[in-house]
């Protein structure tokens, strides 16, 4: 256990793992001084309701509210409007006949969305609190993803310490009445709905269960292809635009009902 002179930060995405961690920390009467959450603006609507429910529970149990961090710029601003500043990137854009603004779609190699809208914000705030208040940082990584943990005395991973897997973490949430509005009954992951790294099956579900988000996704992709043209910046997935996926899914539905 951390010493009594330390400040205790919990960072939470409020998916199943960090939610379970926070619930168990409350139950085990572990010290919690601050809960931080980075709002990307691209979460499922059901996540907003879940976070509000968790915030209410946290206040009832510990008398504190979730601290929400937000980048002053939106996902869309980074995708379409952020100016390129590195000369190498500017030269490459000019050579390819591409505009000098916008990062385009994030990809496996360049996940600017995670960095700009989540990780940088959390790490910056955690670093500030560590320096000012000798803080220890609790992170919700499950035991079956322990390889993601970093060897740092100011970081702790309670679910790994307790041997709790992702499946067990979800059940812990369900057992305590936190069902995420049914998201985990549909999707394997409930991070940003617009993520191009999702599998095709998850996107098929998005089109069926969240048609309003699917429509927004198609608008984003149409804008990206118009601004950046073919290639990784303007293409949602390799070999697949959202429009082509829409056609594919519609065809599959027709064939299934034939």
């Amino acid at each position: 256990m951390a010493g009594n002179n330390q400040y205790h930060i919990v960072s939470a995405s409020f998916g199943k793992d960090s939610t379970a961690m926070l619930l168990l920390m409350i139950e085990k009467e572990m010290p919690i001084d601050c809960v931080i959450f980075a709002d990307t603006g691209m979460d499922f609507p059901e996540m907003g309701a879940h976070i509000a429910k968790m915030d209410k529970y946290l206040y009832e149990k510990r008398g504190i509210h979730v601290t929400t961090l937000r980048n002053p710029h939106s996902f869309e601003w980074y995708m379409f409007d952020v100016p390129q500043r590195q000369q190498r990137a500017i030269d490459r854009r000019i050579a390819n006949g591409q505009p000098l603004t916008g990062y385009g779609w994030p990809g496996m190699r360049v996940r600017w969305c995670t960095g700009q809208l989540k990780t940088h914000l959390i790490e910056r705030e955690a670093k500030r609190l560590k320096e000012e208040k000798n803080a220890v940082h609790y992170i919700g990584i499950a035991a079956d993803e322990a390889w993601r943990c970093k060897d740092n005395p100011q970081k702790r991973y309670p679910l790994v310490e307790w041997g709790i897997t992702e499946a067990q973490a979800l059940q812990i949430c369900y057992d305590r009445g936190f069902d995420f509005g049914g998201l985990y009954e549909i999707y394997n992951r409930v991070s940003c709905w617009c993520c191009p790294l999702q599998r095709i099956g998850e996107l098929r579900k998005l089109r069926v269960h969240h048609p309003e988000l699917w429509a927004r996704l198609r608008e984003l992709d149409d804008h990206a292809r118009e601004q950046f043209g073919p290639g990784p910046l303007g293409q949602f997935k390799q070999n697949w635009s959202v429009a082509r996926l829409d056609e594919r899914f519609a065809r599959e539905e027709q064939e299934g009902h034939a």
Side-chain angles (χ1 to χ4, degrees):
M1 289 291 292
N4 293 330
N5 63 329
Q6 286 186 308
Y7 190 83
H8 305 270
I9 315 164
V10 175
S11 64
S13 67
F14 287 105
K16 62 187 186 309
D17 299 336
S18 57
T19 295
M21 175 185 69
L22 183 54
L23 291 170
L24 291 179
M25 287 182 70
I26 292 171
E27 291 179 10
K28 293 175 182 290
E29 300 185 351
M30 295 173 65
I32 301 171
D33 296 300
C34 178
V35 177
I36 55 178
F37 161 69
D39 181 8
T40 66
M42 306 302 276
D43 280 320
F44 285 94
E46 292 88 342
M47 282 299 294
H50 169 70
I51 293 167
K53 185 176 178 180
M54 281 296 299
D55 180 74
K56 180 181 178 183
Y57 183 76
L58 178 65
Y59 186 75
E60 289 173 352
K61 296 297 183 180
R62 294 300 179 91
I64 59 175
H65 286 290
V66 174
T67 298
T68 301
L69 309 175
R70 292 186 180 90
N71 191 303
H73 297 295
S74 68
F75 178 93
E76 289 93 337
W77 185 84
Y78 278 105
M79 187 169 176
F80 300 119
D81 300 321
V82 61
Q84 297 295 306
R85 291 189 171 89
Q86 294 185 349
Q87 190 60 48
R88 184 173 56 182
I90 291 172
D91 293 342
R92 184 170 60 249
R93 291 289 183 94
I94 292 173
N96 293 334
Q98 294 174 322
L100 302 182
T101 59
Y103 288 148
W105 279 115
M108 186 64 72
R109 294 178 61 186
V110 184
R111 299 179 66 174
W112 57 259
C113 49
T114 302
Q116 297 291 346
L117 302 176
K118 295 176 69 173
T119 308
H120 296 343
L121 298 177
I122 291 171
E123 290 297 333
R124 188 181 304 122
E125 180 65 6
K127 182 176 184 292
R128 182 184 71 82
L129 292 170
K130 288 173 185 177
E131 291 174 350
E132 293 181 3
K133 302 188 177 186
N134 188 31
V136 60
H137 184 186
Y138 296 86
I139 301 170
I141 293 177
D144 37 6
E145 288 197 319
W147 56 270
R148 294 172 52 205
C149 299
K150 297 180 180 178
D151 186 11
N152 185 323
Q154 287 186 294
K155 292 184 177 182
R156 288 186 58 185
Y157 306 90
L159 296 182
V160 174
E161 295 174 19
W162 300 327
I164 293 175
T165 65
E166 289 188 78
Q168 291 169 329
L170 181 58
Q171 192 59 51
I172 286 167
C173 298
Y174 284 164
D175 290 346
R176 288 151 181 80
F178 293 90
D179 65 0
F180 304 90
L183 285 176
Y184 280 109
E185 297 173 20
I186 302 170
Y187 305 100
N188 292 318
R189 300 281 178 181
V190 297
S191 53
C192 298
W193 55 265
C194 60
C195 182
L197 303 180
Q198 296 177 78
R199 295 183 177 182
I200 296 292
E202 296 286 274
L203 292 164
R204 186 181 288 109
K205 295 173 186 176
L206 182 71
R207 181 176 176 271
V208 171
H209 295 281
H210 288 90
E212 74 289 353
L213 298 182
W214 180 259
R216 283 185 63 192
L217 185 64
R218 180 159 178 171
E219 289 175 0
L220 286 172
D221 195 43
D222 288 347
H223 186 169
R225 285 187 292 120
E226 181 180 351
Q227 180 165 332
F228 301 109
L233 298 182
Q235 185 99 335
F236 179 63
K237 294 181 78 69
Q238 186 177 10
N239 302 322
W240 291 103
S241 66
V242 177
R244 284 192 63 218
L245 284 171
D246 204 18
E247 294 171 359
R248 169 182 168 175
F249 296 155
R251 183 172 63 251
E252 290 173 350
E253 287 177 354
Q254 291 178 345
E255 292 172 352
H257 289 93

